[in-house]
Amino acid sequence: MLSRLREDVRTARDRDPAARSSTEIVLVYSGMHAVWLFRLTHRLWLAQAFLAARMLSQFARFLTGVEIHPGATIGRRFFIDHGMGVVIGETAVIGDDVMVYHGVTLGGRSSNPGRRHPTIGNSVTIGAGATVLGAVSIGDGSVVGARAVVVRDAPARSLLVGIPATIVSMDAANYYLDPAIYI
């Protein structure tokens, strides 16, 4: 567990150029706190302590401004930069090395039981205010631009921009070195 916490802090240092120290990250990064509390609520959810998991997740939302349903599945080295306003739904699946900015919603479009939230591949970046709705899949290495609204699947290494989002470039080499210009 301690090694996982160290990995999280290292991820924040690698992804956030404003991070000055590990101590600062541990004490004041609300996105990091939300992920840590999610891990606890997710364990409760898997143990079928549903009410306890939901109560703790709502307390985490109050503290951090980030709402992650305890039923979501999140991979390693997940980083939420600035945190406030992020919402991740119950059946969302997030791969490894994913970064999301503030105001991102991974939400549902249906009230039917079963998978109704997005699946986000590995090494995906989702820009500020972006919304990914429904049981769509975003392929590995993709970038979702700021304020984009994604309602369709996207293959690996896609750049998604606009409302509704369209794939601007399938050649990730054009933006891979500096995806920040699209976020």
Side-chain angles (χ1 to χ4, degrees), residues 64-96:
T64 66
V66 175
E67 181 175 344
I68 305 174
H69 192 286
T73 301
I74 298 177
R76 296 178 68 157
R77 296 173 300 279
F78 177 61
F79 182 61
I80 302 172
D81 196 9
H82 298 292
M84 186 60 74
V86 171
V87 177
I88 300 172
E90 176 183 10
T91 62
V93 176
I94 301 172
D96 296 334

Side-chain angles (χ1 to χ4, degrees), residues 21-60:
S21 70
S22 297
T23 303
E24 177 184 34
I25 292 166
V26 169
L27 294 177
V28 300
Y29 274 49
S30 62
M32 189 70 54
H33 299 154
V35 171
W36 290 338
L37 287 165
F38 161 75
R39 289 195 189 129
L40 178 58
T41 64
H42 187 65
R43 285 184 183 199
L44 290 169
W45 189 262
L46 293 176
Q48 298 187 354
F50 302 121
L51 181 59
R54 289 303 305 271
M55 289 174 63
L56 183 56
S57 73
Q58 289 303 299
F59 181 66

Side-chain angles (χ1 to χ4, degrees), residues 66-174:
V66 175
E67 181 175 344
I68 305 174
H69 192 286
T73 301
I74 298 177
R76 296 178 68 157
R77 296 173 300 279
F78 177 61
F79 182 61
I80 302 172
D81 196 9
H82 298 292
M84 186 60 74
V86 171
V87 177
I88 300 172
E90 176 183 10
T91 62
V93 176
I94 301 172
D96 296 334
D97 302 305
V98 171
M99 179 170 175
V100 302
Y101 288 87
H102 59 279
V104 167
T105 299
L106 303 179
R109 289 181 18 183
S110 167
S111 59
N112 296 329
R115 183 170 174 254
R116 58 191 184 281
H117 296 95
T119 297
I120 308 298
N122 297 322
S123 302
V124 172
T125 300
I126 304 176
T131 302
V132 184
L133 294 175
V136 300
S137 295
I138 306 298
D140 294 348
S142 294
V143 173
V144 178
R147 308 295 284 167
V149 177
V150 180
V151 293
R152 292 187 189 99
D153 291 346
R157 297 171 57 91
S158 296
L159 170 60
L160 300 143
V161 296
I163 302 171
T166 57
I167 299 171
V168 173
S169 171
M170 291 296 291
D171 181 12
N174 291 336

